[in-house]
Amino acid sequence: YILKWKVEPFELNGHTYVKCEVLGQSFLYHQIRKMIGLAVATMRNTAPENCIRTALGSKRKFNVPVAPEFPLYLEECIFNAYNKNFGRDRTILSIEPYLDSINEFKRKVIDRKLVESEEFNEGFWLWLKGLTNELHEFTRWEQQAKEKLENVERQKQQMNKKKQQQQQTGKRDAEGNLLRGDNQAK
């Protein structure tokens, strides 16, 4: 689950980039990459804004774009449980005393190296070119979700109709099973 989400734009070499920092635990496979992918698709007007609401409100599976793994990186491990259990007797594990130096290093070195890297400049831009409605069918998501809901409702109605027919043609035992012939209740 996500505890905190921080979005921070920054300028580098005449371009504006957005850094997203996520604090949480127990993420699903590709969860953050899919969230970023759909946000980028929405921001670039490739996907309509209602796609996010549709995807979150439906049980249907959608072809959500997965942002490239590069330039994602693990910034920090937080040991709250360890610190709570052992912090009185041992040194607390935290980067807090070094945070200013770490943030300066990230700004001056890591952000620059990531943005200027060949992998970012080729891989990320190639991914953006492939972020199309034709591939992901964003404009059909709402219709597909509606069709899925209609199919579920149709199946429920068919099951109810079948139950009613069974109730009219025979009796049931305590568990609701249909009794026939010699086993029929008196």
Side-chain angles (χ1 to χ4, degrees):
Y1 55 92
I2 296 172
L3 300 170
K4 180 177 154 188
W5 189 291
K6 180 181 173 186
V7 178
E8 181 182 318
F10 68 96
E11 298 279 331
L12 190 62
N13 300 338
H15 297 286
T16 302
Y17 298 90
V18 178
K19 178 192 286 188
C20 299
E21 292 183 21
V22 183
L23 175 64
Q25 65 184 39
S26 304
F27 293 121
L28 299 173
Y29 186 64
H30 292 321
Q31 177 183 355
I32 303 303
R33 291 175 58 197
K34 286 183 175 185
M35 291 169 78
I36 296 293
L38 189 52
V40 170
T42 303
M43 178 202 66
R44 294 175 59 85
N45 292 321
T46 304
E49 286 184 32
N50 67 348
C51 278
I52 296 171
R53 186 175 20 262
T54 300
L56 292 174
S58 174
K59 292 186 179 194
R60 188 188 185 289
K61 292 182 180 179
F62 296 100
N63 183 15
V64 178
V66 180
E69 69 276 359
F70 187 83
L72 299 177
Y73 65 92
L74 177 64
E75 181 177 300
E76 175 187 4
C77 293
I78 299 173
F79 301 97
N80 289 337
Y82 175 88
N83 290 336
K84 181 180 177 185
N85 293 329
F86 304 108
R88 292 181 309 274
D89 304 330
R90 301 179 186 152
T91 303
I92 290 178
L93 299 177
S94 174
I95 66 168
E96 197 68 36
Y98 315 101
L99 212 47
D100 289 339
S101 299
I102 290 170
N103 286 333
E104 184 179 347
F105 180 78
K106 284 191 302 187
R107 268 192 316 278
K108 288 184 177 178
V109 179
I110 294 177
D111 292 347
R112 179 174 298 282
K113 292 283 185 187
L114 287 174
V115 170
E116 292 174 349
S117 72
E118 190 173 314
E119 189 174 358
F120 179 79
N121 282 300
E122 290 178 9
F124 189 75
W125 296 116
L126 185 63
W127 175 77
L128 278 179
K129 286 181 185 176
L131 190 60
T132 63
N133 184 52
E134 291 75 27
L135 178 62
H136 298 283
E137 298 184 323
F138 298 117
T139 53
R140 291 200 57 235
W141 283 18
E142 199 164 352
Q143 181 61 33
Q144 291 169 340
K146 184 179 176 185
E147 289 169 4
K148 173 77 173 181
L149 186 60
E150 288 171 353
N151 286 338
V152 169
E153 287 299 319
R154 199 170 18 262
Q155 288 172 349
K156 283 181 185 177
Q157 288 172 354
Q158 289 170 351
M159 288 177 64
N160 287 337
K161 186 176 180 180
K162 190 175 179 179
K163 269 187 185 178
Q164 288 173 349
Q165 289 172 345
Q166 288 175 340
Q167 287 173 347
Q168 291 171 356
T169 59
K171 297 190 183 248
R172 296 180 171 273
D173 62 15
E175 286 83 32
N177 298 316
L178 185 62
L179 298 174
R180 295 201 181 272
D182 296 338
N183 298 332
Q184 201 166 32
K186 296 182 181 181

